[in-house]
Structure formats: C-alpha cells, structure tokens
Amino acid sequence: MHRPPLAALAAALVLALAAAPAGAQTPKPTVAGELDRLLAAGAIDQAHRDQWLTTWSEASRTLGRLRGARRDNLKAVVTTTTRIAESGALTATRAPAVFLTLQRNREWWASRPLLPAGRRVSFPGSGLVWQAYAGQGIQIQWLGTFGKANGLYLGRGHDVELAALLDEAIALATQRAGGIAWEYLFPFDGGSPPWVSGLAQGTGIQALSRAASRLKEPRYFEAARAALGVFRQPPPEGVRVATPAGAHYLQYSFGPNLRILNGFVQAVNGLHDFTILANDPEGAALFSAGEAQLRAELPTADTGVWSLYRPGFEADLHYHRLAVEFLRALCSRLTTDAQRGRPAPEPSVYCSAADRFTAYEKVAPVLALVPPTRTWRARRTEKLAFTLTKISNVTLTLRRGGRTVFARTQRFGRGTQTFTVRPSEPGALAADVRAVDLVGNAAAPAATTLPVRRAPKRK
C-alpha cells in the first residue's frame, strides 16, 4: 500500500489546523457516533450496531413523552449512557449491559408502576435481578443476581435455572482490570459509573465456582478465573488496596478509603470457595492476602458492644447481622479446611468475632447526661449533651410544670452527642432522656432539671 511521505502528512495537518475556526472545540463523541466507530473497527457487527442504535432512539423518543418521576428515572439512564459515550468508555464488551439497561428502563417507565427505592423487579425470560434506585431508574443488581444464583445452588433441583442465569450474567460482563467484571452503571455515593464492587464480584466468583463444580462445566471456572482481575488491580480499575499484612478488597472501586467490613468478609469468602473448588494457585494467593488483612483489621471493627460498618461508623442492624453471617461462614469454611487436612488459617478469630457480635444484640446501651456548662436562657439555642455506648434511638422529653413542651427522637451513634433545644420562655425544665438500641434493649433513663433564665435584654 502506498503511504504519503511524512512531510506531506505534516503539511496537511498544518493546513487542517489553520482552516479550523479560532477557539473551536472538538465535538464530544455521541452514542450513535461511538456505535459507528465500534462497527468500523470491527469490534461489533452491523446487527448489534443497528439494534443498539434503535434502543437509543426509542429511549430518546419515549423520554420526550414522559413527565414527572417516570421522566426523571429514564432521563438519568439516558444521561449516563450519553456520558459513557462521551468519555470514550462505550466499549464492545460494555455495550451489551449499557443498552440492556437502557432498554429495560424504557420498557418500565413507559407503562409499568412507579417503584420505591430499593424495590427489586425482574423481567419474563430473564433471571437477572433489577433494583430501583432513587432518581436513577432500575439497574442490574449484581449482588442480588449472584445471591439468587447461590440460592439456586443451595436449593438444589434448580440446575437448569442456575446455568441459564450464569450464562446470562457472563454475557453481560465487561473486560476490565485484565479480566472480566460485572459493572454498576449509575452514580452512587459519590462514585461515577462504570464502577465495580468487591462484594458483588466475590459473590459472583463464588456462584460460578459452585456451578462449575456441580454441573461439571469448566467454562464457569474459566469465567471465575477471569473475574479475579479486579482483585489484582488497585482502584479505580480494581478493588485491591495493598497493606503491610496483605490486601484489603474494597466494596466500591471508586472509594479507596471506604473500608466496609461485611463486603470485605464476603469477598474473602468468595475467593476461598474458588480456591478450594478450582484448586487454583492464583485464587489461593488472593485469598491469603485478603484473609491476612481481614485478620489484622477485624479487631478494629469491634466496639465491645457492637460492630462497625466501616471505621468510625457503627453498623445498622441489617449490616451488623450480615457481618455476623459472613464471619460465621468464613469460620465454618476454615474449620472444614482444617478438618479435611487442608492448610488453613486458624478459624477461631472469625468464630469468636461472630459469637461476640451475636451476643452484643443482648447488651443494653449505657446513657449518661453531661452537665450543662452554662445556665440556659430563653430564646437562645442550647445544647443538652449526653454520652452513649452504642448506636441507639434516643428520645428527649422536656416538661414544664408537668406539660410536655418538647419531644424528639433521633438516632445517635456512640460517644458524646447533643440535642439542640431553643427554650421559648424562662422556668425550670424537667428533662427525661431514654435510649433504645437497634434490637430493642433499653438503657436506664437519665433525668435532670434545667433552670432557664430570662432572655438577656437587648442593648
């Protein structure tokens, strides 16, 4: 093939730049343009290009007809699709999940019921679990999908459904971090799509490994092995944060400083199951690095009366119990390994942590008032401070002459906390403070009398 001389190419570039209007900016890529680019590069075929372009056009037309919450939800998905294209992130392996999400949202918001945030739904002929997120439409809930696969595995008698669900999931995996990953395609907690979750990825590896073993299907082991990539790579591509002890596996690839206990434990469980079922040396190395770090940081998640969801933040009841469930599962796995003569870390740290966390559900909070540092004044903002030993719902009631003048219930974490009050008039206030933890254990109530003086005269 004849190639023009380098000098001629340089001259042509100079002429092209000179012809461009001053200050002109390169147009942003479009969804249609990116699909054409993928087609021209041979990354996708004509049928997929046409199908996805039709999905995009139909969603755009439907958006113009919708109003209110329906429009807001579909618009969010259309906007995310646009931004993925503009950023150059619309790849051939990401496109199937992107356009399926767009298609399902167009279908749902055009005619189906409005959904509260958190509601999970499904579509005929598909095993995928979808979840509604406030203002973000419905999204593939990968943790829920792989949790469903684990349920099919454990329930037995559902091998055909299990295989169909995992085949559907594999077809929607994206090439990422030197392997494959199941991405979330919506903004969440400050993170921009597409992002991945160590919790969901670890559960996916677990489900694939179990299915591979039962169904004698090596391709599921191959998919699980390819899914290890995010546990090798640091954020934002992966979820691995190297530590002196080993590695922490993040809940969210966009949050390198967000260390969430339950997600980390389940990621380690998933790597363990793959390692044992596939007898895989790389899986073993990734499991060992995660387990060593989990062993090192687990004590910091124990307050002595409750568990931490992440450093500095106590878990709510759901996440407290989820951490117990995952810790008990790891305890059981390592105990079984030892019983079968496999080299295994000592399980007692996880067994005892699960036992302690369970016992904490019977420990009542301790509440104590902190004496005010100044005399309260009418029509001035005042603070009533108290100390608390565990996350609880705390109620403050103020009475004047037996009549309730203030009552508020608020959730507080452990430590020194305050209620803000603005007394309307002078006179003694009888304060009663009560705390009930998330399970229903009540602290001994605390009471005091607060003298309130007249408001200072204006000068």
Side-chain angles (χ1 to χ4, degrees):
M1 181 183 295
H2 173 71
R3 297 181 184 274
L6 183 60
L9 289 174
L13 178 59
V14 170
L15 289 173
L17 292 173
Q25 295 182 347
T26 304
K28 290 182 179 180
T30 64
V31 172
E34 288 300 279
L35 288 175
D36 287 340
R37 178 183 63 79
L38 291 172
L39 176 63
I44 62 173
D45 58 26
Q46 186 73 46
H48 280 99
R49 181 265 182 195
D50 294 347
Q51 173 191 339
W52 291 333
L53 187 57
T54 297
T55 298
W56 171 249
S57 300
E58 289 178 344
S60 300
R61 285 196 297 270
T62 300
L63 181 62
R65 299 196 300 268
L66 298 180
R67 296 292 181 271
R70 295 180 183 278
R71 176 180 173 81
D72 292 343
N73 279 282
L74 181 56
K75 183 179 179 180
V77 180
V78 168
T79 299
T80 294
T81 305
T82 300
R83 289 176 177 169
I84 288 174
E86 289 177 347
S87 68
L90 187 59
T91 63
T93 60
R94 184 169 288 129
V98 168
F99 289 102
L100 178 62
T101 300
L102 191 62
Q103 175 192 338
R104 293 307 197 195
N105 275 272
R106 188 197 69 79
E107 292 174 13
W108 192 276
W109 302 114
S111 60
R112 301 204 184 186
L114 294 176
L115 297 170
R119 176 68 57 82
R120 291 185 174 182
V121 298
S122 60
F123 292 85
S126 169
L128 296 176
V129 175
W130 296 77
Q131 182 168 324
Y133 290 86
Q136 296 297 333
I138 55 172
Q139 303 288 337
I140 303 173
Q141 179 32 279
W142 286 116
L143 178 60
T145 294
F146 290 125
K148 178 180 177 180
N150 276 330
L152 293 171
Y153 169 84
L154 295 171
R156 297 188 175 274
H158 303 286
D159 289 355
V160 173
E161 295 170 76
L162 174 61
L165 176 55
L166 292 179
D167 288 345
E168 193 175 5
I170 291 171
L172 294 171
T174 298
Q175 290 182 359
R176 183 179 180 128
I180 63 172
W182 291 276
E183 296 178 333
Y184 287 87
L185 300 173
F186 62 99
F188 181 75
D189 203 19
S192 299
W195 50 271
V196 293
S197 161
L199 169 59
Q201 193 86 354
T203 305
I205 288 171
Q206 181 182 62
L208 287 163
S209 303
R210 287 170 160 178
S213 179
R214 173 173 297 168
L215 305 179
K216 310 302 180 188
E217 282 285 3
R219 61 195 175 92
Y220 294 141
F221 275 140
E222 293 169 7
R225 189 170 289 109
L228 296 177
V230 300
F231 294 104
R232 292 191 297 261
Q233 296 296 320
E237 191 73 1
V239 298
R240 182 189 184 96
V241 176
T243 68
H248 179 100
Y249 300 129
L250 299 168
Q251 180 110 328
Y252 307 119
S253 58
F254 59 77
N257 298 316
L258 190 59
R259 312 292 176 87
I260 297 175
L261 176 63
N262 70 80
F264 185 21
V265 180
Q266 176 58 5
V268 170
N269 278 329
L271 291 168
H272 172 276
D273 288 2
F274 170 71
T275 297
I276 297 302
L277 294 171
N279 191 26
D280 186 270
E282 183 179 16
L286 294 172
F287 164 75
S288 294
E291 189 279 327
Q293 176 57 24
L294 177 59
R295 182 178 296 267
E297 70 180 63
L298 184 57
T300 67
D302 187 343
T303 72
V305 290
W306 202 246
S307 70
L308 296 185
Y309 173 71
R310 61 185 176 95
F313 292 85
E314 289 161 282
D316 66 18
L317 183 57
H318 168 71
Y319 285 121
H320 178 81
R321 288 178 172 172
L322 194 61
V324 170
E325 177 186 338
F326 291 156
L327 286 167
R328 207 169 290 290
L330 184 54
C331 160
S332 176
R333 282 163 167 77
L334 298 182
T335 300
T336 299
D337 288 346
Q339 291 171 346
R340 294 180 178 177
R342 301 189 191 112
E346 169 57 47
S348 62
V349 63
Y350 306 112
C351 306
S352 59
D355 290 341
R356 286 197 310 277
F357 288 1
T358 299
Y360 292 161
E361 293 193 21
K362 296 182 179 180
V363 176
V366 177
L367 171 72
L369 291 176
V370 177
T373 57
R374 67 183 189 185
T375 301
W376 284 20
R377 295 266 191 176
R379 298 197 300 276
R380 185 174 69 182
T381 299
E382 305 289 359
K383 294 183 182 297
L384 180 63
F386 59 93
T387 59
L388 191 64
T389 56
K390 67 190 297 192
I391 185 170
S392 301
N393 296 311
V394 184
T395 300
L396 168 63
T397 304
L398 297 177
R399 296 181 178 87
R400 180 182 288 111
R403 180 173 61 89
T404 298
V405 295
F406 179 93
R408 179 179 297 163
T409 299
Q410 189 173 335
R411 180 167 293 183
F412 291 97
R414 66 187 180 126
T416 301
Q417 307 290 357
T418 59
F419 275 107
T420 300
V421 181
R422 187 178 175 85
S424 60
E425 57 185 272
L429 288 174
D432 179 82
V433 186
R434 298 173 184 268
V436 179
D437 73 9
L438 305 185
V439 188
N441 302 301
T448 190
T449 299
L450 299 163
V452 180
R453 294 182 179 178
R454 293 183 181 278
K457 293 182 179 180
R458 295 181 179 178
K459 296 182 180 179

